[in-house]
PDB file of all heavy atoms in Angstrom:
ATOM      1  N   ILE A   5       0.836  -1.207   0.000  1.00  0.00           N
ATOM      2  CA  ILE A   5       0.000   0.000   0.000  1.00  0.00           C
ATOM      3  C   ILE A   5       0.868   1.253   0.000  1.00  0.00           C
ATOM      4  O   ILE A   5       0.589   2.226  -0.707  1.00  0.00           O
ATOM      5  CB  ILE A   5      -0.961  -0.006   1.202  1.00  0.00           C
ATOM      6  CG1 ILE A   5      -2.116  -0.962   0.943  1.00  0.00           C
ATOM      7  CG2 ILE A   5      -1.496   1.383   1.490  1.00  0.00           C
ATOM      8  CD1 ILE A   5      -3.087  -0.493  -0.118  1.00  0.00           C
ATOM      9  N   ASP A   6       1.941   1.254   0.790  1.00  0.00           N
ATOM     10  CA  ASP A   6       2.846   2.410   0.794  1.00  0.00           C
ATOM     11  C   ASP A   6       3.434   2.631  -0.603  1.00  0.00           C
ATOM     12  O   ASP A   6       3.517   3.770  -1.077  1.00  0.00           O
ATOM     13  CB  ASP A   6       3.978   2.199   1.806  1.00  0.00           C
ATOM     14  CG  ASP A   6       3.514   2.322   3.253  1.00  0.00           C
ATOM     15  OD1 ASP A   6       2.411   2.856   3.456  1.00  0.00           O
ATOM     16  OD2 ASP A   6       4.254   1.887   4.144  1.00  0.00           O
ATOM     17  N   MET A   7       3.836   1.541  -1.268  1.00  0.00           N
ATOM     18  CA  MET A   7       4.385   1.660  -2.611  1.00  0.00           C
ATOM     19  C   MET A   7       3.352   2.232  -3.576  1.00  0.00           C
ATOM     20  O   MET A   7       3.640   3.137  -4.371  1.00  0.00           O
ATOM     21  CB  MET A   7       4.863   0.285  -3.098  1.00  0.00           C
ATOM     22  CG  MET A   7       5.466   0.264  -4.501  1.00  0.00           C
ATOM     23  SD  MET A   7       4.247  -0.054  -5.829  1.00  0.00           S
ATOM     24  CE  MET A   7       3.794  -1.747  -5.484  1.00  0.00           C
ATOM     25  N   LEU A   8       2.111   1.747  -3.490  1.00  0.00           N
ATOM     26  CA  LEU A   8       1.060   2.233  -4.390  1.00  0.00           C
ATOM     27  C   LEU A   8       0.721   3.696  -4.114  1.00  0.00           C
ATOM     28  O   LEU A   8       0.522   4.487  -5.048  1.00  0.00           O
ATOM     29  CB  LEU A   8      -0.183   1.361  -4.242  1.00  0.00           C
ATOM     30  CG  LEU A   8      -0.078  -0.058  -4.804  1.00  0.00           C
ATOM     31  CD1 LEU A   8      -1.268  -0.897  -4.365  1.00  0.00           C
ATOM     32  CD2 LEU A   8       0.038  -0.054  -6.324  1.00  0.00           C
ATOM     33  N   ASN A   9       0.647   4.080  -2.837  1.00  0.00           N
ATOM     34  CA  ASN A   9       0.346   5.473  -2.509  1.00  0.00           C
ATOM     35  C   ASN A   9       1.422   6.408  -3.035  1.00  0.00           C
ATOM     36  O   ASN A   9       1.119   7.502  -3.558  1.00  0.00           O
ATOM     37  CB  ASN A   9       0.190   5.633  -0.998  1.00  0.00           C
ATOM     38  CG  ASN A   9      -1.117   5.060  -0.483  1.00  0.00           C
ATOM     39  OD1 ASN A   9      -2.094   4.953  -1.222  1.00  0.00           O
ATOM     40  ND2 ASN A   9      -1.150   4.690   0.781  1.00  0.00           N
ATOM     41  N   VAL A  10       2.687   6.017  -2.918  1.00  0.00           N
ATOM     42  CA  VAL A  10       3.779   6.830  -3.452  1.00  0.00           C
ATOM     43  C   VAL A  10       3.678   6.906  -4.977  1.00  0.00           C
ATOM     44  O   VAL A  10       3.839   7.971  -5.583  1.00  0.00           O
ATOM     45  CB  VAL A  10       5.145   6.253  -3.020  1.00  0.00           C
ATOM     46  CG1 VAL A  10       6.278   6.914  -3.810  1.00  0.00           C
ATOM     47  CG2 VAL A  10       5.354   6.452  -1.523  1.00  0.00           C
ATOM     48  N   THR A  11       3.375   5.780  -5.606  1.00  0.00           N
ATOM     49  CA  THR A  11       3.308   5.717  -7.068  1.00  0.00           C
ATOM     50  C   THR A  11       2.215   6.621  -7.625  1.00  0.00           C
ATOM     51  O   THR A  11       2.408   7.336  -8.605  1.00  0.00           O
ATOM     52  CB  THR A  11       3.068   4.270  -7.522  1.00  0.00           C
ATOM     53  OG1 THR A  11       4.142   3.453  -7.053  1.00  0.00           O
ATOM     54  CG2 THR A  11       2.983   4.174  -9.033  1.00  0.00           C
ATOM     55  N   PHE A  12       1.039   6.609  -6.996  1.00  0.00           N
ATOM     56  CA  PHE A  12      -0.113   7.308  -7.546  1.00  0.00           C
ATOM     57  C   PHE A  12      -0.306   8.726  -7.018  1.00  0.00           C
ATOM     58  O   PHE A  12      -0.826   9.581  -7.736  1.00  0.00           O
ATOM     59  CB  PHE A  12      -1.394   6.503  -7.270  1.00  0.00           C
ATOM     60  CG  PHE A  12      -1.584   5.322  -8.176  1.00  0.00           C
ATOM     61  CD1 PHE A  12      -1.072   4.085  -7.856  1.00  0.00           C
ATOM     62  CD2 PHE A  12      -2.279   5.450  -9.363  1.00  0.00           C
ATOM     63  CE1 PHE A  12      -1.247   2.986  -8.682  1.00  0.00           C
ATOM     64  CE2 PHE A  12      -2.468   4.371 -10.213  1.00  0.00           C
ATOM     65  CZ  PHE A  12      -1.944   3.135  -9.872  1.00  0.00           C
ATOM     66  N   PHE A  13       0.084   8.990  -5.778  1.00  0.00           N
ATOM     67  CA  PHE A  13      -0.416  10.205  -5.127  1.00  0.00           C
ATOM     68  C   PHE A  13       0.669  11.144  -4.607  1.00  0.00           C
ATOM     69  O   PHE A  13       0.360  12.097  -3.891  1.00  0.00           O
ATOM     70  CB  PHE A  13      -1.339   9.809  -3.963  1.00  0.00           C
ATOM     71  CG  PHE A  13      -2.433   8.858  -4.353  1.00  0.00           C
ATOM     72  CD1 PHE A  13      -2.677   7.706  -3.622  1.00  0.00           C
ATOM     73  CD2 PHE A  13      -3.218   9.096  -5.474  1.00  0.00           C
ATOM     74  CE1 PHE A  13      -3.674   6.826  -3.975  1.00  0.00           C
ATOM     75  CE2 PHE A  13      -4.224   8.210  -5.848  1.00  0.00           C
ATOM     76  CZ  PHE A  13      -4.450   7.075  -5.102  1.00  0.00           C
ATOM     77  N   THR A  14       1.918  10.933  -4.991  1.00  0.00           N
ATOM     78  CA  THR A  14       2.994  11.783  -4.493  1.00  0.00           C
ATOM     79  C   THR A  14       2.777  13.243  -4.845  1.00  0.00           C
ATOM     80  O   THR A  14       3.080  14.137  -4.047  1.00  0.00           O
ATOM     81  CB  THR A  14       4.351  11.306  -5.056  1.00  0.00           C
ATOM     82  OG1 THR A  14       4.618   9.997  -4.548  1.00  0.00           O
ATOM     83  CG2 THR A  14       5.483  12.246  -4.648  1.00  0.00           C
ATOM     84  N   GLU A  15       2.214  13.500  -6.020  1.00  0.00           N
ATOM     85  CA  GLU A  15       2.072  14.881  -6.480  1.00  0.00           C
ATOM     86  C   GLU A  15       0.756  15.527  -6.062  1.00  0.00           C
ATOM     87  O   GLU A  15       0.466  16.656  -6.463  1.00  0.00           O
ATOM     88  CB  GLU A  15       2.231  14.935  -7.997  1.00  0.00           C
ATOM     89  CG  GLU A  15       3.616  14.486  -8.471  1.00  0.00           C
ATOM     90  CD  GLU A  15       3.794  14.604  -9.967  1.00  0.00           C
ATOM     91  OE1 GLU A  15       2.856  15.105 -10.640  1.00  0.00           O
ATOM     92  OE2 GLU A  15       4.850  14.213 -10.470  1.00  0.00           O
ATOM     93  N   ASP A  16      -0.056  14.849  -5.261  1.00  0.00           N
ATOM     94  CA  ASP A  16      -1.312  15.446  -4.786  1.00  0.00           C
ATOM     95  C   ASP A  16      -1.046  16.686  -3.942  1.00  0.00           C
ATOM     96  O   ASP A  16      -0.041  16.763  -3.201  1.00  0.00           O
ATOM     97  CB  ASP A  16      -2.097  14.446  -3.935  1.00  0.00           C
ATOM     98  CG  ASP A  16      -2.905  13.471  -4.766  1.00  0.00           C
ATOM     99  OD1 ASP A  16      -2.747  13.479  -5.996  1.00  0.00           O
ATOM    100  OD2 ASP A  16      -3.677  12.696  -4.183  1.00  0.00           O
ATOM    101  N   ASP A  17      -1.968  17.638  -4.018  1.00  0.00           N
ATOM    102  CA  ASP A  17      -1.973  18.761  -3.083  1.00  0.00           C
ATOM    103  C   ASP A  17      -2.113  18.208  -1.670  1.00  0.00           C
ATOM    104  O   ASP A  17      -3.027  17.413  -1.404  1.00  0.00           O
ATOM    105  CB  ASP A  17      -3.163  19.673  -3.415  1.00  0.00           C
ATOM    106  CG  ASP A  17      -3.232  20.918  -2.549  1.00  0.00           C
ATOM    107  OD1 ASP A  17      -2.810  20.848  -1.383  1.00  0.00           O
ATOM    108  OD2 ASP A  17      -3.732  21.941  -3.028  1.00  0.00           O
ATOM    109  N   PRO A  18      -1.228  18.586  -0.731  1.00  0.00           N
ATOM    110  CA  PRO A  18      -1.315  18.034   0.631  1.00  0.00           C
ATOM    111  C   PRO A  18      -2.686  18.186   1.270  1.00  0.00           C
ATOM    112  O   PRO A  18      -3.121  17.328   2.041  1.00  0.00           O
ATOM    113  CB  PRO A  18      -0.249  18.829   1.395  1.00  0.00           C
ATOM    114  CG  PRO A  18       0.738  19.238   0.344  1.00  0.00           C
ATOM    115  CD  PRO A  18      -0.079  19.483  -0.882  1.00  0.00           C
ATOM    116  N   ALA A  19      -3.410  19.268   0.925  1.00  0.00           N
ATOM    117  CA  ALA A  19      -4.732  19.488   1.524  1.00  0.00           C
ATOM    118  C   ALA A  19      -5.776  18.523   0.968  1.00  0.00           C
ATOM    119  O   ALA A  19      -6.834  18.343   1.579  1.00  0.00           O
ATOM    120  CB  ALA A  19      -5.179  20.927   1.280  1.00  0.00           C
ATOM    121  N   GLU A  20      -5.498  17.907  -0.171  1.00  0.00           N
ATOM    122  CA  GLU A  20      -6.466  17.014  -0.813  1.00  0.00           C
ATOM    123  C   GLU A  20      -5.860  15.636  -1.073  1.00  0.00           C
ATOM    124  O   GLU A  20      -6.360  14.886  -1.914  1.00  0.00           O
ATOM    125  CB  GLU A  20      -6.935  17.631  -2.139  1.00  0.00           C
ATOM    126  CG  GLU A  20      -7.580  19.006  -1.981  1.00  0.00           C
ATOM    127  CD  GLU A  20      -7.963  19.632  -3.300  1.00  0.00           C
ATOM    128  OE1 GLU A  20      -7.670  19.019  -4.352  1.00  0.00           O
ATOM    129  OE2 GLU A  20      -8.539  20.732  -3.298  1.00  0.00           O
ATOM    130  N   LYS A  21      -4.818  15.294  -0.347  1.00  0.00           N
ATOM    131  CA  LYS A  21      -4.038  14.094  -0.650  1.00  0.00           C
ATOM    132  C   LYS A  21      -4.886  12.839  -0.493  1.00  0.00           C
ATOM    133  O   LYS A  21      -5.609  12.668   0.485  1.00  0.00           O
ATOM    134  CB  LYS A  21      -2.817  14.009   0.258  1.00  0.00           C
ATOM    135  CG  LYS A  21      -1.776  13.003  -0.247  1.00  0.00           C
ATOM    136  CD  LYS A  21      -0.478  13.157   0.508  1.00  0.00           C
ATOM    137  CE  LYS A  21       0.595  12.229  -0.044  1.00  0.00           C
ATOM    138  NZ  LYS A  21       0.972  12.554  -1.423  1.00  0.00           N
ATOM    139  N   ARG A  22      -4.774  11.956  -1.470  1.00  0.00           N
ATOM    140  CA  ARG A  22      -5.517  10.709  -1.479  1.00  0.00           C
ATOM    141  C   ARG A  22      -4.647   9.559  -0.976  1.00  0.00           C
ATOM    142  O   ARG A  22      -3.426   9.657  -0.954  1.00  0.00           O
ATOM    143  CB  ARG A  22      -5.996  10.391  -2.902  1.00  0.00           C
ATOM    144  CG  ARG A  22      -6.964  11.405  -3.489  1.00  0.00           C
ATOM    145  CD  ARG A  22      -7.096  11.209  -4.988  1.00  0.00           C
ATOM    146  NE  ARG A  22      -5.860  11.553  -5.685  1.00  0.00           N
ATOM    147  CZ  ARG A  22      -5.629  11.312  -6.973  1.00  0.00           C
ATOM    148  NH1 ARG A  22      -6.568  10.714  -7.710  1.00  0.00           N
ATOM    149  NH2 ARG A  22      -4.477  11.648  -7.541  1.00  0.00           N
ATOM    150  N   ASP A  23      -5.296   8.491  -0.587  1.00  0.00           N
ATOM    151  CA  ASP A  23      -4.614   7.229  -0.333  1.00  0.00           C
ATOM    152  C   ASP A  23      -5.613   6.116  -0.621  1.00  0.00           C
ATOM    153  O   ASP A  23      -6.825   6.325  -0.606  1.00  0.00           O
ATOM    154  CB  ASP A  23      -4.059   7.135   1.090  1.00  0.00           C
ATOM    155  CG  ASP A  23      -5.140   7.141   2.146  1.00  0.00           C
ATOM    156  OD1 ASP A  23      -5.858   6.116   2.277  1.00  0.00           O
ATOM    157  OD2 ASP A  23      -5.301   8.162   2.848  1.00  0.00           O
ATOM    158  N   PHE A  24      -5.095   4.913  -0.887  1.00  0.00           N
ATOM    159  CA  PHE A  24      -5.956   3.837  -1.351  1.00  0.00           C
ATOM    160  C   PHE A  24      -6.962   3.384  -0.297  1.00  0.00           C
ATOM    161  O   PHE A  24      -8.083   2.984  -0.636  1.00  0.00           O
ATOM    162  CB  PHE A  24      -5.116   2.655  -1.851  1.00  0.00           C
ATOM    163  CG  PHE A  24      -4.712   2.799  -3.283  1.00  0.00           C
ATOM    164  CD1 PHE A  24      -3.440   3.233  -3.622  1.00  0.00           C
ATOM    165  CD2 PHE A  24      -5.604   2.534  -4.303  1.00  0.00           C
ATOM    166  CE1 PHE A  24      -3.073   3.373  -4.954  1.00  0.00           C
ATOM    167  CE2 PHE A  24      -5.246   2.680  -5.635  1.00  0.00           C
ATOM    168  CZ  PHE A  24      -3.972   3.100  -5.964  1.00  0.00           C
ATOM    169  N   LEU A  25      -6.604   3.434   0.981  1.00  0.00           N
ATOM    170  CA  LEU A  25      -7.542   2.993   2.008  1.00  0.00           C
ATOM    171  C   LEU A  25      -8.766   3.892   2.058  1.00  0.00           C
ATOM    172  O   LEU A  25      -9.894   3.420   2.162  1.00  0.00           O
ATOM    173  CB  LEU A  25      -6.860   2.935   3.371  1.00  0.00           C
ATOM    174  CG  LEU A  25      -7.728   2.470   4.539  1.00  0.00           C
ATOM    175  CD1 LEU A  25      -8.297   1.080   4.279  1.00  0.00           C
ATOM    176  CD2 LEU A  25      -6.941   2.479   5.843  1.00  0.00           C
ATOM    177  N   ARG A  26      -8.563   5.198   1.952  1.00  0.00           N
ATOM    178  CA  ARG A  26      -9.715   6.110   1.973  1.00  0.00           C
ATOM    179  C   ARG A  26     -10.454   6.124   0.646  1.00  0.00           C
ATOM    180  O   ARG A  26     -11.667   6.330   0.602  1.00  0.00           O
ATOM    181  CB  ARG A  26      -9.252   7.522   2.334  1.00  0.00           C
ATOM    182  CG  ARG A  26      -8.932   7.709   3.809  1.00  0.00           C
ATOM    183  CD  ARG A  26      -8.671   9.152   4.133  1.00  0.00           C
ATOM    184  NE  ARG A  26      -7.465   9.644   3.469  1.00  0.00           N
ATOM    185  CZ  ARG A  26      -7.089  10.926   3.448  1.00  0.00           C
ATOM    186  NH1 ARG A  26      -7.858  11.843   4.010  1.00  0.00           N
ATOM    187  NH2 ARG A  26      -5.970  11.283   2.854  1.00  0.00           N
ATOM    188  N   LEU A  27      -9.730   5.901  -0.457  1.00  0.00           N
ATOM    189  CA  LEU A  27     -10.392   5.867  -1.759  1.00  0.00           C
ATOM    190  C   LEU A  27     -11.320   4.667  -1.890  1.00  0.00           C
ATOM    191  O   LEU A  27     -12.438   4.783  -2.384  1.00  0.00           O
ATOM    192  CB  LEU A  27      -9.352   5.808  -2.880  1.00  0.00           C
ATOM    193  CG  LEU A  27      -8.801   7.104  -3.432  1.00  0.00           C
ATOM    194  CD1 LEU A  27      -7.778   6.796  -4.517  1.00  0.00           C
ATOM    195  CD2 LEU A  27      -9.889   8.008  -3.976  1.00  0.00           C
ATOM    196  N   LEU A  28     -10.845   3.505  -1.454  1.00  0.00           N
ATOM    197  CA  LEU A  28     -11.598   2.267  -1.660  1.00  0.00           C
ATOM    198  C   LEU A  28     -11.543   1.401  -0.403  1.00  0.00           C
ATOM    199  O   LEU A  28     -10.898   0.346  -0.377  1.00  0.00           O
ATOM    200  CB  LEU A  28     -11.036   1.495  -2.867  1.00  0.00           C
ATOM    201  CG  LEU A  28     -11.273   2.150  -4.228  1.00  0.00           C
ATOM    202  CD1 LEU A  28     -10.408   1.510  -5.294  1.00  0.00           C
ATOM    203  CD2 LEU A  28     -12.741   2.071  -4.621  1.00  0.00           C
ATOM    204  N   PRO A  29     -12.232   1.823   0.640  1.00  0.00           N
ATOM    205  CA  PRO A  29     -12.243   1.004   1.859  1.00  0.00           C
ATOM    206  C   PRO A  29     -12.792  -0.394   1.632  1.00  0.00           C
ATOM    207  O   PRO A  29     -12.419  -1.337   2.319  1.00  0.00           O
ATOM    208  CB  PRO A  29     -13.123   1.823   2.822  1.00  0.00           C
ATOM    209  CG  PRO A  29     -13.950   2.718   1.944  1.00  0.00           C
ATOM    210  CD  PRO A  29     -13.072   3.034   0.780  1.00  0.00           C
ATOM    211  N   LYS A  30     -13.676  -0.544   0.627  1.00  0.00           N
ATOM    212  CA  LYS A  30     -14.271  -1.855   0.342  1.00  0.00           C
ATOM    213  C   LYS A  30     -13.232  -2.879  -0.089  1.00  0.00           C
ATOM    214  O   LYS A  30     -13.483  -4.085  -0.015  1.00  0.00           O
ATOM    215  CB  LYS A  30     -15.322  -1.718  -0.767  1.00  0.00           C
ATOM    216  CG  LYS A  30     -14.723  -1.323  -2.121  1.00  0.00           C
ATOM    217  CD  LYS A  30     -15.746  -1.310  -3.233  1.00  0.00           C
ATOM    218  CE  LYS A  30     -15.090  -0.977  -4.574  1.00  0.00           C
ATOM    219  NZ  LYS A  30     -16.026  -1.039  -5.698  1.00  0.00           N
ATOM    220  N   LEU A  31     -12.071  -2.411  -0.543  1.00  0.00           N
ATOM    221  CA  LEU A  31     -11.022  -3.309  -1.012  1.00  0.00           C
ATOM    222  C   LEU A  31      -9.849  -3.422  -0.057  1.00  0.00           C
ATOM    223  O   LEU A  31      -9.258  -4.497   0.058  1.00  0.00           O
ATOM    224  CB  LEU A  31     -10.488  -2.836  -2.377  1.00  0.00           C
ATOM    225  CG  LEU A  31     -11.482  -2.742  -3.529  1.00  0.00           C
ATOM    226  CD1 LEU A  31     -10.762  -2.332  -4.805  1.00  0.00           C
ATOM    227  CD2 LEU A  31     -12.218  -4.054  -3.728  1.00  0.00           C
ATOM    228  N   TYR A  32      -9.496  -2.340   0.624  1.00  0.00           N
ATOM    229  CA  TYR A  32      -8.208  -2.294   1.294  1.00  0.00           C
ATOM    230  C   TYR A  32      -8.271  -2.400   2.816  1.00  0.00           C
ATOM    231  O   TYR A  32      -7.224  -2.465   3.458  1.00  0.00           O
ATOM    232  CB  TYR A  32      -7.446  -1.034   0.873  1.00  0.00           C
ATOM    233  CG  TYR A  32      -7.233  -0.988  -0.616  1.00  0.00           C
ATOM    234  CD1 TYR A  32      -7.891  -0.065  -1.412  1.00  0.00           C
ATOM    235  CD2 TYR A  32      -6.406  -1.922  -1.246  1.00  0.00           C
ATOM    236  CE1 TYR A  32      -7.719  -0.051  -2.787  1.00  0.00           C
ATOM    237  CE2 TYR A  32      -6.233  -1.920  -2.617  1.00  0.00           C
ATOM    238  CZ  TYR A  32      -6.889  -0.980  -3.383  1.00  0.00           C
ATOM    239  OH  TYR A  32      -6.721  -0.985  -4.746  1.00  0.00           O
ATOM    240  N   LYS A  33      -9.459  -2.429   3.398  1.00  0.00           N
ATOM    241  CA  LYS A  33      -9.532  -2.693   4.832  1.00  0.00           C
ATOM    242  C   LYS A  33      -9.065  -4.123   5.114  1.00  0.00           C
ATOM    243  O   LYS A  33      -9.306  -5.042   4.321  1.00  0.00           O
ATOM    244  CB  LYS A  33     -10.970  -2.502   5.337  1.00  0.00           C
ATOM    245  CG  LYS A  33     -11.356  -1.048   5.554  1.00  0.00           C
ATOM    246  CD  LYS A  33     -12.716  -0.961   6.235  1.00  0.00           C
ATOM    247  CE  LYS A  33     -13.056   0.467   6.618  1.00  0.00           C
ATOM    248  NZ  LYS A  33     -14.381   0.558   7.297  1.00  0.00           N
ATOM    249  N   GLU A  34      -8.439  -4.313   6.262  1.00  0.00           N
ATOM    250  CA  GLU A  34      -7.870  -5.625   6.579  1.00  0.00           C
ATOM    251  C   GLU A  34      -8.909  -6.733   6.593  1.00  0.00           C
ATOM    252  O   GLU A  34      -8.610  -7.875   6.225  1.00  0.00           O
ATOM    253  CB  GLU A  34      -7.136  -5.574   7.918  1.00  0.00           C
ATOM    254  CG  GLU A  34      -5.810  -4.834   7.865  1.00  0.00           C
ATOM    255  CD  GLU A  34      -4.988  -5.048   9.115  1.00  0.00           C
ATOM    256  OE1 GLU A  34      -5.424  -5.844   9.987  1.00  0.00           O
ATOM    257  OE2 GLU A  34      -3.924  -4.423   9.235  1.00  0.00           O
ATOM    258  N   GLN A  35     -10.157  -6.404   7.006  1.00  0.00           N
ATOM    259  CA  GLN A  35     -11.157  -7.480   7.100  1.00  0.00           C
ATOM    260  C   GLN A  35     -11.525  -8.053   5.741  1.00  0.00           C
ATOM    261  O   GLN A  35     -12.135  -9.117   5.648  1.00  0.00           O
ATOM    262  CB  GLN A  35     -12.421  -7.002   7.817  1.00  0.00           C
ATOM    263  CG  GLN A  35     -13.186  -5.878   7.153  1.00  0.00           C
ATOM    264  CD  GLN A  35     -12.926  -4.555   7.822  1.00  0.00           C
ATOM    265  OE1 GLN A  35     -11.797  -4.235   8.180  1.00  0.00           O
ATOM    266  NE2 GLN A  35     -13.984  -3.778   8.022  1.00  0.00           N
ATOM    267  N   TYR A  36     -11.131  -7.373   4.648  1.00  0.00           N
ATOM    268  CA  TYR A  36     -11.423  -7.884   3.313  1.00  0.00           C
ATOM    269  C   TYR A  36     -10.225  -8.622   2.695  1.00  0.00           C
ATOM    270  O   TYR A  36     -10.263  -8.978   1.515  1.00  0.00           O
ATOM    271  CB  TYR A  36     -11.878  -6.745   2.402  1.00  0.00           C
ATOM    272  CG  TYR A  36     -13.040  -5.955   2.976  1.00  0.00           C
ATOM    273  CD1 TYR A  36     -13.031  -4.565   3.001  1.00  0.00           C
ATOM    274  CD2 TYR A  36     -14.147  -6.612   3.530  1.00  0.00           C
ATOM    275  CE1 TYR A  36     -14.088  -3.837   3.542  1.00  0.00           C
ATOM    276  CE2 TYR A  36     -15.203  -5.891   4.081  1.00  0.00           C
ATOM    277  CZ  TYR A  36     -15.161  -4.505   4.086  1.00  0.00           C
ATOM    278  OH  TYR A  36     -16.201  -3.797   4.631  1.00  0.00           O
ATOM    279  N   ALA A  37      -9.181  -8.841   3.482  1.00  0.00           N
ATOM    280  CA  ALA A  37      -7.992  -9.608   3.060  1.00  0.00           C
ATOM    281  C   ALA A  37      -7.487  -9.176   1.682  1.00  0.00           C
ATOM    282  O   ALA A  37      -7.408  -9.993   0.755  1.00  0.00           O
ATOM    283  CB  ALA A  37      -8.299 -11.104   3.081  1.00  0.00           C
ATOM    284  N   PRO A  38      -7.103  -7.912   1.512  1.00  0.00           N
ATOM    285  CA  PRO A  38      -6.699  -7.436   0.173  1.00  0.00           C
ATOM    286  C   PRO A  38      -5.455  -8.122  -0.371  1.00  0.00           C
ATOM    287  O   PRO A  38      -5.258  -8.159  -1.588  1.00  0.00           O
ATOM    288  CB  PRO A  38      -6.454  -5.939   0.395  1.00  0.00           C
ATOM    289  CG  PRO A  38      -6.191  -5.801   1.861  1.00  0.00           C
ATOM    290  CD  PRO A  38      -7.035  -6.841   2.524  1.00  0.00           C
ATOM    291  N   TRP A  39      -4.618  -8.677   0.500  1.00  0.00           N
ATOM    292  CA  TRP A  39      -3.402  -9.357   0.035  1.00  0.00           C
ATOM    293  C   TRP A  39      -3.724 -10.540  -0.880  1.00  0.00           C
ATOM    294  O   TRP A  39      -2.967 -10.843  -1.794  1.00  0.00           O
ATOM    295  CB  TRP A  39      -2.574  -9.802   1.231  1.00  0.00           C
ATOM    296  CG  TRP A  39      -3.387 -10.375   2.356  1.00  0.00           C
ATOM    297  CD1 TRP A  39      -3.814 -11.663   2.492  1.00  0.00           C
ATOM    298  CD2 TRP A  39      -3.897  -9.657   3.477  1.00  0.00           C
ATOM    299  NE1 TRP A  39      -4.563 -11.805   3.627  1.00  0.00           N
ATOM    300  CE2 TRP A  39      -4.633 -10.585   4.267  1.00  0.00           C
ATOM    301  CE3 TRP A  39      -3.812  -8.338   3.917  1.00  0.00           C
ATOM    302  CZ2 TRP A  39      -5.260 -10.235   5.460  1.00  0.00           C
ATOM    303  CZ3 TRP A  39      -4.433  -7.985   5.091  1.00  0.00           C
ATOM    304  CH2 TRP A  39      -5.158  -8.913   5.854  1.00  0.00           C
TER     305      TRP A  39
END
């Protein structure tokens, strides 16, 4: 997840910065076993 966040969102405005967990909780929360 850290690698993906760096790959996709490094250039985001800090005030609007995205990350995969907040973008798609249905996929990346631990209870959904995203690995």
Side-chain angles (χ1 to χ4, degrees):
I5 283 290
D6 287 344
M7 180 270 293
L8 289 169
N9 286 335
V10 168
T11 300
F12 283 89
F13 307 131
T14 296
E15 297 183 4
D16 278 7
D17 183 329
E20 301 177 357
K21 195 168 184 65
R22 297 165 292 171
D23 64 72
F24 274 100
L25 181 58
R26 284 188 295 171
L27 272 179
L28 291 166
K30 66 175 183 176
L31 301 183
Y32 301 111
K33 281 188 173 181
E34 287 192 4
Q35 62 258 42
Y36 306 132
W39 41 85

